[in-house]
Amino acid sequence: MPLQPGLYRHYKGPEYRVIGVARHSETEEEVVCYQALYGEFGLWVRPLSMFLQSVEVDGEQVPRFALVQAEPDLFPRP
């Protein structure tokens, strides 16, 4: 499933920049590579399926990460 690179807000509030989707070398599972836009600006990966999940907040289903602003794809596919 394609994921738009750009700025995302985690349901708890912090913002992240999605760099792109990569594939695990052993399992071929798709993972999202993203950077925290706070603190030490660390790089993180998370399974794509988990990144796209909804979570329950105050009895309401909300996206774990919500797109704030799309950005150009740094690694477009041919």
Side-chain angles (χ1 to χ4, degrees):
M1 170 179 210
L3 179 70
Q4 177 69 45
L7 300 179
Y8 284 77
R9 183 172 292 115
H10 188 266
Y11 75 97
K12 293 182 180 177
E15 290 192 348
Y16 298 86
R17 172 168 283 118
V18 167
I19 298 164
V21 176
R23 192 171 297 277
H24 189 287
S25 63
E26 297 295 321
T27 65
E28 296 193 14
E29 178 183 23
E30 290 184 304
V31 295
V32 179
C33 181
Y34 58 102
Q35 181 181 28
L37 297 179
Y38 61 90
E40 295 182 15
F41 293 83
L43 291 176
W44 297 88
V45 295
R46 178 186 295 255
L48 177 62
S49 60
M50 183 184 287
F51 191 92
L52 296 174
Q53 282 179 333
S54 293
V55 295
E56 188 173 324
V57 177
D58 298 327
E60 181 181 348
Q61 291 291 317
V62 298
R64 184 182 300 274
F65 290 91
L67 180 64
V68 174
Q69 180 180 342
E71 295 180 340
D73 191 345
L74 297 175
F75 306 103
R77 296 178 187 212

